[in-house]
Amino acid sequence: MIYGLKYTLKIWTEKGFCQYAILERTDNHLYINCYNNGKISRKDITDKTDCICNMVKHISHWNMRHYNEPMEWLPSFDWTLHITTDDVNIYCSGHDNDPPESEYFDNILRFTGIS
């Protein structure tokens, strides 16, 4: 079971860019509410929770990590991720750097329909 999910991504450009996703539980359904640079969408992930929980186990070692790699060119970006399931509690963040094996989290985003 997924109890919490919050993901934010801020890319600093002249026009700015912000993306975030937040878990919502309503009437025995789980949704991810997404905000992507002014566009709002809602994805029902109720039938995908078991698979998402298994996918999250691949990134459990990210907990309490901050991935920082200052860049000397723009755009700069910051991100945070907090996921809580029956087996995993992850809170991590980064500045101008993705964690190793970031493709696992990218796959989770694609699977839920966020990216």
Side-chain angles (χ1 to χ4, degrees):
M1 174 63 74
I2 300 174
Y3 299 103
L5 183 147
K6 182 178 181 183
Y7 170 67
T8 60
L9 171 66
K10 297 176 184 171
I11 299 177
W12 309 106
T13 65
E14 291 177 6
K15 296 180 181 180
F17 176 81
C18 181
Q19 176 183 29
Y20 66 84
I22 299 173
L23 184 72
E24 175 189 349
R25 183 181 313 272
T26 306
D27 299 327
N28 295 324
H29 284 273
L30 288 175
Y31 299 94
I32 293 188
N33 296 315
C34 306
Y35 173 89
N36 190 343
N37 208 28
K39 297 178 183 174
I40 298 172
S41 63
R42 187 178 198 207
K43 312 288 183 185
D44 187 340
I45 62 164
T46 306
D47 296 336
K48 299 178 178 182
T49 55
D50 289 340
C51 189
I52 292 169
C53 287
N54 286 328
M55 295 170 85
V56 166
K57 290 178 186 178
H58 291 287
I59 61 171
S60 63
H61 62 281
W62 293 3
N63 191 36
M64 301 307 291
R65 300 275 176 102
H66 181 73
Y67 298 92
N68 188 12
E69 184 72 31
M71 298 175 72
E72 297 187 19
W73 62 86
L74 294 176
S76 178
F77 66 95
D78 293 296
W79 61 271
T80 59
L81 172 64
H82 188 186
I83 300 175
T84 305
T85 70
D86 284 330
D87 300 318
V88 174
N89 185 18
I90 301 170
Y91 179 80
C92 56
S93 60
H95 176 75
D96 292 336
N97 195 14
D98 290 324
E101 303 122 6
S102 61
E103 68 272 5
Y104 287 120
F105 184 64
D106 292 340
N107 288 339
I108 294 169
L109 292 177
R110 278 191 287 280
F111 183 72
T112 59
I114 292 175
S115 61

mmCIF file of all heavy atoms in Angstrom, residues 60-105:
data_model
loop_
_atom_site.group_PDB
_atom_site.id
_atom_site.type_symbol
_atom_site.label_atom_id
_atom_site.label_comp_id
_atom_site.label_asym_id
_atom_site.label_seq_id
_atom_site.Cartn_x
_atom_site.Cartn_y
_atom_site.Cartn_z
ATOM 1 N N SER A 60 15.089 2.403 -2.585
ATOM 2 C CA SER A 60 15.022 2.596 -1.131
ATOM 3 C C SER A 60 16.335 3.106 -0.553
ATOM 4 O O SER A 60 16.345 3.795 0.462
ATOM 5 C CB SER A 60 14.592 1.309 -0.429
ATOM 6 O OG SER A 60 15.549 0.296 -0.640
ATOM 7 N N HIS A 61 17.458 2.817 -1.190
ATOM 8 C CA HIS A 61 18.754 3.289 -0.691
ATOM 9 C C HIS A 61 18.949 4.798 -0.895
ATOM 10 O O HIS A 61 19.929 5.359 -0.426
ATOM 11 C CB HIS A 61 19.893 2.502 -1.347
ATOM 12 C CG HIS A 61 19.964 2.672 -2.829
ATOM 13 N ND1 HIS A 61 19.132 1.992 -3.686
ATOM 14 C CD2 HIS A 61 20.749 3.451 -3.599
ATOM 15 C CE1 HIS A 61 19.411 2.340 -4.926
ATOM 16 N NE2 HIS A 61 20.393 3.227 -4.906
ATOM 17 N N TRP A 62 18.011 5.469 -1.557
ATOM 18 C CA TRP A 62 18.083 6.923 -1.718
ATOM 19 C C TRP A 62 17.681 7.647 -0.440
ATOM 20 O O TRP A 62 17.876 8.856 -0.330
ATOM 21 C CB TRP A 62 17.164 7.392 -2.825
ATOM 22 C CG TRP A 62 17.517 6.972 -4.209
ATOM 23 C CD1 TRP A 62 18.549 6.167 -4.611
ATOM 24 C CD2 TRP A 62 16.831 7.334 -5.401
ATOM 25 N NE1 TRP A 62 18.540 6.015 -5.964
ATOM 26 C CE2 TRP A 62 17.496 6.715 -6.480
ATOM 27 C CE3 TRP A 62 15.710 8.111 -5.661
ATOM 28 C CZ2 TRP A 62 17.078 6.867 -7.801
ATOM 29 C CZ3 TRP A 62 15.292 8.259 -6.965
ATOM 30 C CH2 TRP A 62 15.969 7.651 -8.017
ATOM 31 N N ASN A 63 17.100 6.958 0.539
ATOM 32 C CA ASN A 63 16.562 7.637 1.713
ATOM 33 C C ASN A 63 17.624 8.484 2.413
ATOM 34 O O ASN A 63 18.755 8.048 2.610
ATOM 35 C CB ASN A 63 15.975 6.629 2.700
ATOM 36 C CG ASN A 63 15.186 7.310 3.794
ATOM 37 O OD1 ASN A 63 14.515 8.309 3.548
ATOM 38 N ND2 ASN A 63 15.264 6.798 4.996
ATOM 39 N N MET A 64 17.204 9.674 2.795
ATOM 40 C CA MET A 64 18.038 10.642 3.530
ATOM 41 C C MET A 64 19.289 11.047 2.743
ATOM 42 O O MET A 64 20.314 11.383 3.315
ATOM 43 C CB MET A 64 18.424 10.101 4.911
ATOM 44 C CG MET A 64 17.222 9.775 5.782
ATOM 45 S SD MET A 64 16.038 11.137 5.954
ATOM 46 C CE MET A 64 16.983 12.278 6.917
ATOM 47 N N ARG A 65 19.192 11.051 1.450
ATOM 48 C CA ARG A 65 20.311 11.461 0.602
ATOM 49 C C ARG A 65 19.991 12.786 -0.078
ATOM 50 O O ARG A 65 18.845 13.077 -0.409
ATOM 51 C CB ARG A 65 20.579 10.424 -0.495
ATOM 52 C CG ARG A 65 20.916 9.047 -0.005
ATOM 53 C CD ARG A 65 22.398 8.934 0.302
ATOM 54 N NE ARG A 65 22.746 7.662 0.863
ATOM 55 C CZ ARG A 65 23.309 6.683 0.184
ATOM 56 N NH1 ARG A 65 23.592 6.812 -1.082
ATOM 57 N NH2 ARG A 65 23.597 5.554 0.802
ATOM 58 N N HIS A 66 21.033 13.573 -0.265
ATOM 59 C CA HIS A 66 20.918 14.805 -1.048
ATOM 60 C C HIS A 66 21.969 14.725 -2.147
ATOM 61 O O HIS A 66 23.153 14.577 -1.865
ATOM 62 C CB HIS A 66 21.151 16.043 -0.179
ATOM 63 C CG HIS A 66 21.023 17.311 -0.956
ATOM 64 N ND1 HIS A 66 19.808 17.796 -1.376
ATOM 65 C CD2 HIS A 66 21.959 18.165 -1.429
ATOM 66 C CE1 HIS A 66 19.998 18.916 -2.046
ATOM 67 N NE2 HIS A 66 21.303 19.160 -2.100
ATOM 68 N N TYR A 67 21.510 14.783 -3.374
ATOM 69 C CA TYR A 67 22.392 14.685 -4.530
ATOM 70 C C TYR A 67 22.652 16.093 -5.048
ATOM 71 O O TYR A 67 21.767 16.734 -5.601
ATOM 72 C CB TYR A 67 21.756 13.794 -5.605
ATOM 73 C CG TYR A 67 21.541 12.393 -5.097
ATOM 74 C CD1 TYR A 67 20.333 12.021 -4.499
ATOM 75 C CD2 TYR A 67 22.552 11.460 -5.165
ATOM 76 C CE1 TYR A 67 20.151 10.737 -4.014
ATOM 77 C CE2 TYR A 67 22.380 10.179 -4.677
ATOM 78 C CZ TYR A 67 21.175 9.828 -4.106
ATOM 79 O OH TYR A 67 20.998 8.559 -3.616
ATOM 80 N N ASN A 68 23.861 16.575 -4.822
ATOM 81 C CA ASN A 68 24.209 17.959 -5.142
ATOM 82 C C ASN A 68 25.409 17.969 -6.079
ATOM 83 O O ASN A 68 26.450 17.407 -5.770
ATOM 84 C CB ASN A 68 24.539 18.723 -3.855
ATOM 85 C CG ASN A 68 24.723 20.199 -4.098
ATOM 86 O OD1 ASN A 68 24.401 20.708 -5.159
ATOM 87 N ND2 ASN A 68 25.228 20.878 -3.105
ATOM 88 N N GLU A 69 25.250 18.614 -7.186
ATOM 89 C CA GLU A 69 26.332 18.748 -8.162
ATOM 90 C C GLU A 69 26.178 20.100 -8.836
ATOM 91 O O GLU A 69 25.499 20.226 -9.841
ATOM 92 C CB GLU A 69 26.236 17.627 -9.209
ATOM 93 C CG GLU A 69 27.348 17.607 -10.222
ATOM 94 C CD GLU A 69 28.659 17.136 -9.651
ATOM 95 O OE1 GLU A 69 28.652 16.310 -8.728
ATOM 96 O OE2 GLU A 69 29.685 17.610 -10.142
ATOM 97 N N PRO A 70 26.769 21.135 -8.252
ATOM 98 C CA PRO A 70 26.595 22.468 -8.836
ATOM 99 C C PRO A 70 27.011 22.497 -10.306
ATOM 100 O O PRO A 70 28.030 21.922 -10.684
ATOM 101 C CB PRO A 70 27.529 23.345 -7.996
ATOM 102 C CG PRO A 70 27.738 22.585 -6.738
ATOM 103 C CD PRO A 70 27.624 21.133 -7.093
ATOM 104 N N MET A 71 26.176 23.141 -11.096
ATOM 105 C CA MET A 71 26.449 23.260 -12.525
ATOM 106 C C MET A 71 26.934 24.672 -12.821
ATOM 107 O O MET A 71 26.572 25.609 -12.131
ATOM 108 C CB MET A 71 25.182 22.960 -13.325
ATOM 109 C CG MET A 71 24.667 21.555 -13.130
ATOM 110 S SD MET A 71 23.108 21.276 -13.963
ATOM 111 C CE MET A 71 23.612 21.239 -15.653
ATOM 112 N N GLU A 72 27.711 24.791 -13.853
ATOM 113 C CA GLU A 72 28.215 26.100 -14.214
ATOM 114 C C GLU A 72 27.453 26.693 -15.388
ATOM 115 O O GLU A 72 27.881 27.681 -15.966
ATOM 116 C CB GLU A 72 29.709 26.011 -14.522
ATOM 117 C CG GLU A 72 30.492 25.588 -13.291
ATOM 118 C CD GLU A 72 31.982 25.668 -13.520
ATOM 119 O OE1 GLU A 72 32.418 26.354 -14.450
ATOM 120 O OE2 GLU A 72 32.708 25.034 -12.732
ATOM 121 N N TRP A 73 26.353 26.083 -15.750
ATOM 122 C CA TRP A 73 25.518 26.624 -16.809
ATOM 123 C C TRP A 73 24.063 26.480 -16.402
ATOM 124 O O TRP A 73 23.726 25.728 -15.501
ATOM 125 C CB TRP A 73 25.796 25.920 -18.142
ATOM 126 C CG TRP A 73 25.488 24.453 -18.113
ATOM 127 C CD1 TRP A 73 24.293 23.855 -18.351
ATOM 128 C CD2 TRP A 73 26.378 23.383 -17.795
ATOM 129 N NE1 TRP A 73 24.374 22.498 -18.207
ATOM 130 C CE2 TRP A 73 25.647 22.181 -17.878
ATOM 131 C CE3 TRP A 73 27.714 23.321 -17.458
ATOM 132 C CZ2 TRP A 73 26.215 20.939 -17.636
ATOM 133 C CZ3 TRP A 73 28.267 22.079 -17.223
ATOM 134 C CH2 TRP A 73 27.532 20.914 -17.318
ATOM 135 N N LEU A 74 23.212 27.219 -17.054
ATOM 136 C CA LEU A 74 21.787 27.164 -16.769
ATOM 137 C C LEU A 74 21.131 26.224 -17.764
ATOM 138 O O LEU A 74 21.654 26.004 -18.831
ATOM 139 C CB LEU A 74 21.186 28.561 -16.865
ATOM 140 C CG LEU A 74 21.688 29.535 -15.795
ATOM 141 C CD1 LEU A 74 21.096 30.909 -16.056
ATOM 142 C CD2 LEU A 74 21.345 29.062 -14.406
ATOM 143 N N PRO A 75 19.973 25.673 -17.512
ATOM 144 C CA PRO A 75 19.153 25.913 -16.333
ATOM 145 C C PRO A 75 19.599 25.075 -15.138
ATOM 146 O O PRO A 75 20.165 24.008 -15.299
ATOM 147 C CB PRO A 75 17.761 25.487 -16.778
ATOM 148 C CG PRO A 75 18.006 24.418 -17.777
ATOM 149 C CD PRO A 75 19.307 24.797 -18.471
ATOM 150 N N SER A 76 19.302 25.584 -13.992
ATOM 151 C CA SER A 76 19.564 24.891 -12.741
ATOM 152 C C SER A 76 18.259 24.214 -12.314
ATOM 153 O O SER A 76 17.179 24.667 -12.676
ATOM 154 C CB SER A 76 20.004 25.911 -11.695
ATOM 155 O OG SER A 76 20.221 25.281 -10.462
ATOM 156 N N PHE A 77 18.351 23.124 -11.559
ATOM 157 C CA PHE A 77 17.119 22.477 -11.104
ATOM 158 C C PHE A 77 17.265 21.926 -9.695
ATOM 159 O O PHE A 77 18.358 21.603 -9.244
ATOM 160 C CB PHE A 77 16.662 21.376 -12.076
ATOM 161 C CG PHE A 77 17.583 20.186 -12.166
ATOM 162 C CD1 PHE A 77 17.352 19.063 -11.391
ATOM 163 C CD2 PHE A 77 18.663 20.190 -13.040
ATOM 164 C CE1 PHE A 77 18.182 17.957 -11.482
ATOM 165 C CE2 PHE A 77 19.504 19.083 -13.134
ATOM 166 C CZ PHE A 77 19.268 17.970 -12.359
ATOM 167 N N ASP A 78 16.136 21.869 -8.997
ATOM 168 C CA ASP A 78 16.022 21.281 -7.665
ATOM 169 C C ASP A 78 14.874 20.296 -7.685
ATOM 170 O O ASP A 78 13.871 20.511 -8.362
ATOM 171 C CB ASP A 78 15.706 22.357 -6.613
ATOM 172 C CG ASP A 78 16.842 23.329 -6.427
ATOM 173 O OD1 ASP A 78 17.915 22.898 -5.984
ATOM 174 O OD2 ASP A 78 16.644 24.519 -6.727
ATOM 175 N N TRP A 79 14.996 19.224 -6.918
ATOM 176 C CA TRP A 79 13.915 18.260 -6.812
ATOM 177 C C TRP A 79 13.873 17.676 -5.407
ATOM 178 O O TRP A 79 14.875 17.659 -4.696
ATOM 179 C CB TRP A 79 14.058 17.142 -7.857
ATOM 180 C CG TRP A 79 15.326 16.350 -7.729
ATOM 181 C CD1 TRP A 79 16.520 16.623 -8.326
ATOM 182 C CD2 TRP A 79 15.539 15.176 -6.934
ATOM 183 N NE1 TRP A 79 17.461 15.694 -7.958
ATOM 184 C CE2 TRP A 79 16.888 14.787 -7.098
ATOM 185 C CE3 TRP A 79 14.726 14.426 -6.093
ATOM 186 C CZ2 TRP A 79 17.433 13.677 -6.462
ATOM 187 C CZ3 TRP A 79 15.270 13.323 -5.469
ATOM 188 C CH2 TRP A 79 16.604 12.959 -5.653
ATOM 189 N N THR A 80 12.691 17.237 -5.006
ATOM 190 C CA THR A 80 12.506 16.502 -3.754
ATOM 191 C C THR A 80 11.556 15.336 -4.025
ATOM 192 O O THR A 80 10.689 15.413 -4.889
ATOM 193 C CB THR A 80 11.913 17.366 -2.617
ATOM 194 O OG1 THR A 80 10.647 17.871 -3.029
ATOM 195 C CG2 THR A 80 12.839 18.506 -2.251
ATOM 196 N N LEU A 81 11.728 14.285 -3.265
ATOM 197 C CA LEU A 81 10.887 13.102 -3.395
ATOM 198 C C LEU A 81 10.642 12.533 -2.007
ATOM 199 O O LEU A 81 11.580 12.365 -1.231
ATOM 200 C CB LEU A 81 11.584 12.054 -4.272
ATOM 201 C CG LEU A 81 10.920 10.683 -4.362
ATOM 202 C CD1 LEU A 81 9.551 10.798 -5.036
ATOM 203 C CD2 LEU A 81 11.815 9.705 -5.102
ATOM 204 N N HIS A 82 9.382 12.259 -1.704
ATOM 205 C CA HIS A 82 9.014 11.609 -0.454
ATOM 206 C C HIS A 82 7.970 10.548 -0.789
ATOM 207 O O HIS A 82 6.900 10.871 -1.297
ATOM 208 C CB HIS A 82 8.452 12.614 0.544
ATOM 209 C CG HIS A 82 8.244 12.023 1.905
ATOM 210 N ND1 HIS A 82 7.646 12.705 2.917
ATOM 211 C CD2 HIS A 82 8.560 10.817 2.417
ATOM 212 C CE1 HIS A 82 7.596 11.954 3.996
ATOM 213 N NE2 HIS A 82 8.138 10.798 3.707
ATOM 214 N N ILE A 83 8.308 9.290 -0.521
ATOM 215 C CA ILE A 83 7.402 8.163 -0.765
ATOM 216 C C ILE A 83 7.354 7.305 0.489
ATOM 217 O O ILE A 83 8.393 6.961 1.052
ATOM 218 C CB ILE A 83 7.874 7.279 -1.938
ATOM 219 C CG1 ILE A 83 7.961 8.084 -3.234
ATOM 220 C CG2 ILE A 83 6.945 6.092 -2.120
ATOM 221 C CD1 ILE A 83 8.527 7.284 -4.394
ATOM 222 N N THR A 84 6.145 6.940 0.899
ATOM 223 C CA THR A 84 5.956 6.032 2.023
ATOM 224 C C THR A 84 5.057 4.880 1.576
ATOM 225 O O THR A 84 3.951 5.115 1.079
ATOM 226 C CB THR A 84 5.324 6.753 3.223
ATOM 227 O OG1 THR A 84 6.115 7.885 3.557
ATOM 228 C CG2 THR A 84 5.217 5.836 4.427
ATOM 229 N N THR A 85 5.550 3.656 1.749
ATOM 230 C CA THR A 85 4.763 2.458 1.469
ATOM 231 C C THR A 85 4.832 1.553 2.700
ATOM 232 O O THR A 85 5.432 1.914 3.710
ATOM 233 C CB THR A 85 5.311 1.696 0.238
ATOM 234 O OG1 THR A 85 6.568 1.102 0.571
ATOM 235 C CG2 THR A 85 5.477 2.606 -0.965
ATOM 236 N N ASP A 86 4.252 0.356 2.600
ATOM 237 C CA ASP A 86 4.351 -0.609 3.701
ATOM 238 C C ASP A 86 5.800 -0.953 4.021
ATOM 239 O O ASP A 86 6.155 -1.181 5.172
ATOM 240 C CB ASP A 86 3.608 -1.902 3.354
ATOM 241 C CG ASP A 86 2.103 -1.762 3.472
ATOM 242 O OD1 ASP A 86 1.644 -0.972 4.305
ATOM 243 O OD2 ASP A 86 1.395 -2.450 2.711
ATOM 244 N N ASP A 87 6.647 -1.006 3.000
ATOM 245 C CA ASP A 87 8.017 -1.485 3.165
ATOM 246 C C ASP A 87 9.089 -0.402 3.110
ATOM 247 O O ASP A 87 10.227 -0.654 3.492
ATOM 248 C CB ASP A 87 8.345 -2.508 2.074
ATOM 249 C CG ASP A 87 7.424 -3.712 2.128
ATOM 250 O OD1 ASP A 87 7.141 -4.188 3.248
ATOM 251 O OD2 ASP A 87 6.983 -4.168 1.057
ATOM 252 N N VAL A 88 8.772 0.775 2.597
ATOM 253 C CA VAL A 88 9.786 1.776 2.300
ATOM 254 C C VAL A 88 9.323 3.158 2.748
ATOM 255 O O VAL A 88 8.158 3.515 2.592
ATOM 256 C CB VAL A 88 10.064 1.800 0.776
ATOM 257 C CG1 VAL A 88 10.998 2.924 0.396
ATOM 258 C CG2 VAL A 88 10.611 0.468 0.303
ATOM 259 N N ASN A 89 10.258 3.919 3.308
ATOM 260 C CA ASN A 89 10.030 5.338 3.580
ATOM 261 C C ASN A 89 11.241 6.082 3.020
ATOM 262 O O ASN A 89 12.348 5.919 3.524
ATOM 263 C CB ASN A 89 9.870 5.603 5.075
ATOM 264 C CG ASN A 89 9.519 7.043 5.356
ATOM 265 O OD1 ASN A 89 9.073 7.774 4.471
ATOM 266 N ND2 ASN A 89 9.717 7.471 6.583
ATOM 267 N N ILE A 90 11.033 6.844 1.959
ATOM 268 C CA ILE A 90 12.129 7.522 1.276
ATOM 269 C C ILE A 90 11.900 9.024 1.308
ATOM 270 O O ILE A 90 10.818 9.497 0.964
ATOM 271 C CB ILE A 90 12.229 7.087 -0.200
ATOM 272 C CG1 ILE A 90 12.457 5.587 -0.306
ATOM 273 C CG2 ILE A 90 13.317 7.861 -0.931
ATOM 274 C CD1 ILE A 90 12.315 5.058 -1.721
ATOM 275 N N TYR A 91 12.915 9.752 1.744
ATOM 276 C CA TYR A 91 12.928 11.199 1.575
ATOM 277 C C TYR A 91 14.301 11.561 1.033
ATOM 278 O O TYR A 91 15.320 11.255 1.657
ATOM 279 C CB TYR A 91 12.679 11.950 2.885
ATOM 280 C CG TYR A 91 12.731 13.445 2.643
ATOM 281 C CD1 TYR A 91 11.635 14.099 2.110
ATOM 282 C CD2 TYR A 91 13.888 14.160 2.894
ATOM 283 C CE1 TYR A 91 11.686 15.450 1.840
ATOM 284 C CE2 TYR A 91 13.944 15.518 2.623
ATOM 285 C CZ TYR A 91 12.849 16.159 2.097
ATOM 286 O OH TYR A 91 12.906 17.490 1.820
ATOM 287 N N CYS A 92 14.340 12.164 -0.144
ATOM 288 C CA CYS A 92 15.612 12.554 -0.743
ATOM 289 C C CYS A 92 15.403 13.798 -1.589
ATOM 290 O O CYS A 92 14.276 14.203 -1.859
ATOM 291 C CB CYS A 92 16.200 11.412 -1.577
ATOM 292 S SG CYS A 92 15.118 10.781 -2.862
ATOM 293 N N SER A 93 16.507 14.401 -1.968
ATOM 294 C CA SER A 93 16.430 15.639 -2.744
ATOM 295 C C SER A 93 17.706 15.794 -3.555
ATOM 296 O O SER A 93 18.664 15.037 -3.387
ATOM 297 C CB SER A 93 16.249 16.834 -1.812
ATOM 298 O OG SER A 93 17.340 16.930 -0.918
ATOM 299 N N GLY A 94 17.705 16.798 -4.419
ATOM 300 C CA GLY A 94 18.886 17.041 -5.216
ATOM 301 C C GLY A 94 18.903 18.443 -5.784
ATOM 302 O O GLY A 94 17.873 19.103 -5.894
ATOM 303 N N HIS A 95 20.098 18.865 -6.125
ATOM 304 C CA HIS A 95 20.306 20.159 -6.768
ATOM 305 C C HIS A 95 21.254 19.933 -7.940
ATOM 306 O O HIS A 95 22.407 19.541 -7.736
ATOM 307 C CB HIS A 95 20.897 21.167 -5.776
ATOM 308 C CG HIS A 95 21.222 22.480 -6.386
ATOM 309 N ND1 HIS A 95 20.249 23.388 -6.719
ATOM 310 C CD2 HIS A 95 22.402 23.023 -6.756
ATOM 311 C CE1 HIS A 95 20.826 24.459 -7.254
ATOM 312 N NE2 HIS A 95 22.134 24.254 -7.281
ATOM 313 N N ASP A 96 20.745 20.120 -9.141
ATOM 314 C CA ASP A 96 21.532 19.987 -10.370
ATOM 315 C C ASP A 96 22.139 18.608 -10.558
ATOM 316 O O ASP A 96 23.134 18.452 -11.258
ATOM 317 C CB ASP A 96 22.646 21.040 -10.418
ATOM 318 C CG ASP A 96 22.096 22.441 -10.568
ATOM 319 O OD1 ASP A 96 20.971 22.585 -11.072
ATOM 320 O OD2 ASP A 96 22.799 23.385 -10.188
ATOM 321 N N ASN A 97 21.556 17.604 -9.920
ATOM 322 C CA ASN A 97 22.084 16.254 -10.068
ATOM 323 C C ASN A 97 20.990 15.232 -9.771
ATOM 324 O O ASN A 97 20.227 15.394 -8.824
ATOM 325 C CB ASN A 97 23.261 16.039 -9.113
ATOM 326 C CG ASN A 97 24.071 14.812 -9.462
ATOM 327 O OD1 ASN A 97 23.935 14.251 -10.543
ATOM 328 N ND2 ASN A 97 24.918 14.389 -8.545
ATOM 329 N N ASP A 98 20.934 14.200 -10.590
ATOM 330 C CA ASP A 98 20.035 13.077 -10.346
ATOM 331 C C ASP A 98 20.808 11.979 -9.631
ATOM 332 O O ASP A 98 22.014 11.848 -9.807
ATOM 333 C CB ASP A 98 19.496 12.520 -11.660
ATOM 334 C CG ASP A 98 18.518 13.465 -12.325
ATOM 335 O OD1 ASP A 98 17.759 14.128 -11.606
ATOM 336 O OD2 ASP A 98 18.518 13.528 -13.571
ATOM 337 N N PRO A 99 20.124 11.163 -8.835
ATOM 338 C CA PRO A 99 20.814 10.059 -8.156
ATOM 339 C C PRO A 99 21.205 8.969 -9.145
ATOM 340 O O PRO A 99 20.669 8.895 -10.243
ATOM 341 C CB PRO A 99 19.769 9.552 -7.164
ATOM 342 C CG PRO A 99 18.480 10.060 -7.630
ATOM 343 C CD PRO A 99 18.726 11.249 -8.486
ATOM 344 N N PRO A 100 22.142 8.114 -8.718
ATOM 345 C CA PRO A 100 22.447 6.959 -9.563
ATOM 346 C C PRO A 100 21.180 6.127 -9.747
ATOM 347 O O PRO A 100 20.319 6.103 -8.875
ATOM 348 C CB PRO A 100 23.487 6.180 -8.756
ATOM 349 C CG PRO A 100 23.835 7.013 -7.583
ATOM 350 C CD PRO A 100 22.861 8.127 -7.474
ATOM 351 N N GLU A 101 21.082 5.488 -10.848
ATOM 352 C CA GLU A 101 19.911 4.653 -11.165
ATOM 353 C C GLU A 101 18.626 5.463 -11.184
ATOM 354 O O GLU A 101 17.560 4.965 -10.828
ATOM 355 C CB GLU A 101 19.761 3.474 -10.194
ATOM 356 C CG GLU A 101 20.960 2.574 -10.117
ATOM 357 C CD GLU A 101 21.484 2.485 -8.705
ATOM 358 O OE1 GLU A 101 20.875 3.009 -7.773
ATOM 359 O OE2 GLU A 101 22.557 1.882 -8.536
ATOM 360 N N SER A 102 18.691 6.712 -11.605
ATOM 361 C CA SER A 102 17.480 7.547 -11.635
ATOM 362 C C SER A 102 16.456 7.015 -12.628
ATOM 363 O O SER A 102 15.281 7.372 -12.555
ATOM 364 C CB SER A 102 17.833 8.998 -11.948
ATOM 365 O OG SER A 102 18.447 9.100 -13.206
ATOM 366 N N GLU A 103 16.882 6.139 -13.516
ATOM 367 C CA GLU A 103 15.926 5.570 -14.474
ATOM 368 C C GLU A 103 14.845 4.761 -13.766
ATOM 369 O O GLU A 103 13.733 4.627 -14.275
ATOM 370 C CB GLU A 103 16.635 4.723 -15.534
ATOM 371 C CG GLU A 103 17.254 3.444 -15.047
ATOM 372 C CD GLU A 103 18.696 3.604 -14.549
ATOM 373 O OE1 GLU A 103 19.197 4.741 -14.487
ATOM 374 O OE2 GLU A 103 19.313 2.587 -14.206
ATOM 375 N N TYR A 104 15.133 4.208 -12.572
ATOM 376 C CA TYR A 104 14.098 3.481 -11.826
ATOM 377 C C TYR A 104 12.945 4.416 -11.465
ATOM 378 O O TYR A 104 11.777 4.062 -11.603
ATOM 379 C CB TYR A 104 14.658 2.852 -10.548
ATOM 380 C CG TYR A 104 15.525 1.653 -10.786
ATOM 381 C CD1 TYR A 104 16.846 1.646 -10.375
ATOM 382 C CD2 TYR A 104 15.033 0.521 -11.418
ATOM 383 C CE1 TYR A 104 17.658 0.540 -10.591
ATOM 384 C CE2 TYR A 104 15.837 -0.588 -11.641
ATOM 385 C CZ TYR A 104 17.144 -0.564 -11.227
ATOM 386 O OH TYR A 104 17.931 -1.653 -11.446
ATOM 387 N N PHE A 105 13.277 5.617 -10.990
ATOM 388 C CA PHE A 105 12.209 6.554 -10.647
ATOM 389 C C PHE A 105 11.531 7.085 -11.909
ATOM 390 O O PHE A 105 10.318 7.256 -11.927
ATOM 391 C CB PHE A 105 12.735 7.712 -9.794
ATOM 392 C CG PHE A 105 11.642 8.631 -9.354
ATOM 393 C CD1 PHE A 105 10.645 8.166 -8.504
ATOM 394 C CD2 PHE A 105 11.576 9.929 -9.799
ATOM 395 C CE1 PHE A 105 9.605 8.990 -8.098
ATOM 396 C CE2 PHE A 105 10.545 10.762 -9.405
ATOM 397 C CZ PHE A 105 9.561 10.290 -8.547
#
